[in-house]
């Protein structure tokens, strides 16, 4: 899903649905800046939710995996204690080992899944967040251009703002 996100940047043709937001700005170029900003905010909120929608499943898997590992631990320990209860005479390590092995293995698997999923969840959320930030910056730049303001960031750390004549092309 994240690999199909449209590229954003100056000089790059905007792909849908971001191009639709740019058209929305153009359609509402006659409204005041505050209203246009609210319009962008509502659109970006919905777009951000669509981009990150499937990432919620990763969070759920990362939360459930350790619990499933813990469940396996409890089942393995229960199995070990049941083996002790069923055994008469001295208890040997072989009686306990099957249940303990099950307990440790399920804990290991649950934690491993949780750690891997958490790492990928963080990476994917970072990619999605950077994309949404780039979309917001591009739409804000286009909104300012409607008001005759051109905001450029060059090779220097400072930014320059140029006031254009109202309605002038970018």
């Amino acid at each position: 899903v994240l690999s199909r996100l449209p590229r954003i940047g100056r000089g790059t043709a905007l792909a849908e649905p971001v191009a639709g937001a740019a058209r929305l700005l153009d359609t509402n170029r006659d409204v005041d800046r505050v209203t246009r900003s609210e319009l962008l905010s509502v659109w970006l909120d919905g777009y951000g939710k669509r981009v990150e929608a499937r990432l919620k499943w990763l969070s759920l898997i990362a939360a459930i995996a350790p619990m499933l590992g813990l469940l396996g631990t409890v089942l393995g320990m229960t199995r070990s204690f049941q083996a002790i209860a069923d055994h008469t005479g001295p208890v040997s390590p072989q009686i306990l080992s099957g249940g303990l092995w099950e307990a440790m293995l399920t804990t290991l698997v649950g934690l491993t899944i949780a750690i891997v999923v958490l790492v990928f969840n963080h990476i994917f959320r970072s990619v999605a967040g950077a994309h949404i930030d780039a979309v917001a910056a591009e739409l804000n730049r286009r909104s300012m251009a409607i008001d005759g303001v051109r905001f450029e960031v060059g090779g220097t750390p400072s930014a320059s703002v140029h006031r254009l004549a109202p309605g002038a092309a970018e």
Side-chain angles (χ1 to χ4, degrees), residues 26-112:
D26 287 340
T27 302
N28 290 287
R29 69 174 36 249
D30 296 330
V31 300
D32 61 284
R33 184 184 328 214
V34 173
T35 304
R36 217 170 37 246
S37 178
E38 283 296 316
L39 181 67
L40 282 179
S41 179
V42 168
W43 185 89
L44 276 169
D45 185 51
Y47 181 68
K49 286 177 181 172
R50 285 190 309 273
V51 167
E52 294 183 344
R54 293 189 175 115
L55 296 179
K56 292 177 182 178
W57 288 104
L58 290 178
S59 296
L60 180 64
I61 292 168
I64 290 175
M67 288 186 235
L68 290 174
L70 182 59
L71 177 63
T73 301
V74 171
L75 290 173
M77 296 300 290
T78 304
R79 192 165 147 195
S80 290
F81 287 120
Q82 186 64 46
I84 292 171
D86 292 342
H87 186 73
T88 57
V91 177
S92 68
Q94 289 81 14
I95 294 172
L96 297 174
S97 63
L100 293 177
W101 178 84
E102 181 182 336
M104 300 314 295
L105 180 64
T106 56
T107 301
L108 174 71
V109 170
L111 289 175
T112 301

Side-chain angles (χ1 to χ4, degrees), residues 9-10 20 29 57 66 84 97 100 115 123 132 138 144:
R10 284 191 72 119
R29 69 174 36 249
W57 288 104
I84 292 171
S97 63
L100 293 177
I115 290 168
I123 291 168
I132 292 166
E138 177 62 20
M144 287 189 303

